[in-house]
Amino acid sequence: INEEKYTSSFYKKNQINKKIFEFVKNLNPDIGIYYAQGENHGFIEFIRACKKLKIKTVQIIENWDNLSAKNISNPRPDFLVTLSKQQKDIAEKIHKFSSDKIFVLGSKKYDNFFELRNSNYQLEIKSKYILFLEGWVWTDQEKMFDALDKFISKEKMLNGIKILYRPHPLRNENYNLVNLKKYKNIILDPQMKYAYENNYFNLKNIPNEKYYASLIKNAEMIICGPTSMILESLILKKKILVLAFKSKDYYSNYNFI
């Protein structure tokens, strides 16, 4: 399938969302700026409206993997704002976006973690712990928990240390939840207790940055797959074990190295 021809044909057959078009038309901005990750119907309609009204658009790349794991919407924005030079290189080389239309502005979110290196947020967790960070779409964590629980029980040097499991706050609710009560050495991040027990995952589960910073800082080390919290952990100078399994053998989603 020729994506460009298919998209063009689809747009010719489907009119721009009337509410979005009228909103942009009545507002009549000098420029349209939006945050985006991958493709979303709402902001695609926003771009289409701006294009028809001859308004320039700027897409701000929202997260670290949005250009390496996701596409740039079609129709394309006029300009991109990236978090880093690395993202700019990806936009140029992979997405063939013109260099003179890409601007590197950094990320206030990550800047905050440099400022939080010396913060002291009080946590409910009393024991020493290794922080286990879940990726977005994982299955079969139970096998890993079985192995980790057994390993910690055997190793005397790890006596008294727990695995603190933080589920992804936006994890897919269709995946099975593990019964953590059967483990001696694995505990749940208390901030995710309600969400996990009620299988209720959404943006409300994302805590403030002070909590995240303290959760990482107080950990002995970090275990995770490729996730944005690697960046926060590096900023906070923690040792990280990145999982690198064959995802087709262990997990349903190809989100491993």
Side-chain angles (χ1 to χ4, degrees):
I1 296 175
N2 185 311
E3 182 183 353
E4 194 166 330
K5 286 184 178 180
Y6 177 84
T7 304
S8 178
S9 174
F10 177 84
Y11 289 155
K12 285 178 181 178
K13 294 176 183 177
N14 294 272
Q15 296 296 314
I16 301 170
N17 180 283
K18 289 182 179 180
K19 286 185 177 180
I20 293 176
F21 182 80
E22 289 300 320
F23 175 80
V24 177
K25 183 180 178 181
N26 293 333
L27 189 64
N28 191 28
D30 296 308
I31 192 167
I33 303 174
Y34 61 95
Y35 282 91
Q37 47 178 323
E39 295 189 353
N40 174 280
H41 181 70
F43 65 70
I44 288 175
E45 292 299 284
F46 174 73
I47 300 171
R48 292 180 70 196
C50 287
K51 295 283 187 187
K52 189 167 184 177
L53 294 165
K54 302 188 184 310
I55 298 167
K56 297 290 186 182
T57 54
V58 178
Q59 176 176 328
I60 299 174
I61 304 304
E62 189 176 17
N63 207 358
W64 68 285
D65 66 341
N66 289 170
L67 290 175
S68 56
K70 299 176 176 66
N71 201 359
I72 297 175
S73 61
N74 189 354
R76 290 189 163 199
D78 295 290
F79 304 97
L80 282 182
V81 170
T82 67
L83 307 181
S84 63
K85 185 182 181 299
Q86 183 187 54
Q87 278 194 332
K88 180 180 179 181
D89 292 342
I90 292 171
E92 290 179 49
K93 294 175 182 177
I94 297 178
H95 300 285
K96 309 303 180 186
F97 212 92
S98 179
S99 177
D100 62 347
K101 294 183 178 180
I102 307 171
F103 300 90
V104 180
L105 293 185
S107 169
K108 177 58 178 171
K109 178 177 77 171
Y110 293 118
D111 287 346
N112 288 345
F113 279 87
F114 286 99
E115 297 170 8
L116 289 170
R117 278 178 170 173
N118 298 318
S119 67
N120 188 20
Y121 188 92
Q122 191 67 35
L123 298 176
E124 298 177 29
I125 307 148
K126 303 303 180 184
S127 59
K128 291 183 178 181
Y129 61 88
I130 295 170
L131 182 58
F132 183 99
L133 299 170
E134 182 179 64
W136 178 50
V137 186
W138 288 8
T139 60
D140 217 8
Q141 290 92 322
E142 192 164 10
K143 286 183 181 178
M144 188 173 297
F145 290 155
D146 287 347
L148 284 171
D149 191 59
K150 186 176 180 180
F151 179 76
I152 289 177
S153 294
K154 282 185 175 181
E155 292 295 325
K156 292 182 179 179
M157 65 180 294
L158 296 176
N159 185 40
I161 294 179
K162 304 292 184 183
I163 295 290
L164 180 66
Y165 167 47
R166 180 171 176 82
H168 194 287
L170 303 178
R171 84 191 306 272
N172 193 314
E173 295 177 1
N174 295 324
Y175 291 108
N176 294 330
L177 300 179
V178 179
N179 177 16
L180 300 176
K181 292 180 179 178
K182 68 176 184 175
Y183 298 112
K184 177 183 177 183
N185 302 300
I186 297 174
I187 56 175
L188 181 68
D189 178 1
Q191 194 271 331
M192 291 295 294
K193 186 175 186 294
Y194 178 85
Y196 199 76
E197 291 180 350
N198 294 277
N199 201 11
Y200 183 72
F201 298 94
N202 56 38
L203 290 171
K204 294 180 180 178
N205 297 319
I206 299 177
N208 61 52
E209 290 170 347
K210 287 184 178 180
Y211 183 87
Y212 266 146
S214 292
L215 194 67
I216 294 168
K217 281 172 54 180
N218 289 314
E220 301 298 308
M221 64 174 292
I222 312 296
I223 299 177
C224 62
T227 173
S228 61
M229 286 187 74
I230 289 179
L231 299 180
E232 288 95 326
S233 300
L234 288 170
I235 291 169
L236 296 170
K237 302 180 179 181
K238 301 306 295 188
K239 292 182 179 179
I240 309 164
L241 173 65
V242 181
L243 303 175
F245 301 129
K246 291 181 180 179
S247 55
K248 64 181 181 180
D249 294 336
Y250 291 91
Y251 299 92
S252 62
N253 188 39
Y254 287 77
N255 60 353
F256 279 77
I257 295 172

